[in-house]
Amino acid sequence: MDEIWRAPVTDDDRIRAGLALQLVAAATGITAERMKASARLRGPACRARWLALYTAYVTFGWPLERVAHAFGLNRATAAAACRWAEDGRDHPSIDALLDRLELCVNHLLDAPACELPA
């Protein structure tokens, strides 16, 4: 029983987490690779990753544990990210960015699925 329990992460979860990271990267100029770094992030890279976590939390309706696992982080980090983003809504530029990110994700997910030929 020394194993750490982690919720399974599906390919769909990874794809959606990647979408959130790429959208934030496009909006902020901070690469998704930098946001995914295993080292502790600071400054703008940290806040950019937090934006991606919050985007996943809000637009996909995931619980914090699922958000954390999809991004390879722990629940406390996901919770801190969402608290920071909610507080950031008091700043017009952050609020507008979060609204645009949510709109982009919703437009993509609401579009009909595209079946690619084999």
Side-chain angles (χ1 to χ4, degrees):
M1 291 301 273
D2 291 336
E3 292 182 33
I4 297 174
W5 184 84
R6 290 188 63 91
V9 177
T10 65
D11 286 340
D12 187 54
D13 287 353
R14 286 187 186 92
I15 290 168
R16 288 175 181 238
L19 171 63
L21 285 166
Q22 291 296 336
L23 286 173
V24 171
T28 64
I30 296 169
T31 67
E33 290 74 26
R34 188 165 169 213
M35 286 184 267
K36 291 190 293 186
S38 59
R40 185 178 181 97
L41 297 179
R42 300 196 186 283
C46 179
R47 288 185 289 282
R49 180 165 66 188
W50 287 356
L51 290 171
L53 289 160
Y54 180 76
T55 299
Y57 175 69
V58 171
T59 59
F60 306 143
W62 290 349
L64 289 173
E65 187 170 16
R66 187 173 177 187
V67 171
H69 291 185
F71 284 84
L73 302 167
N74 63 48
R75 188 186 182 287
T77 300
C82 291
R83 280 191 305 274
W84 176 85
E86 281 295 332
D87 290 345
R89 290 251 188 217
D90 293 336
H91 302 280
S93 60
I94 299 290
D95 189 46
L97 174 59
L98 288 168
D99 285 344
R100 288 192 313 272
L101 291 169
E102 291 171 36
L103 186 63
C104 286
V105 171
N106 287 328
H107 277 299
L108 282 170
L109 297 180
D110 290 343
C114 178
E115 296 289 329
L116 299 176

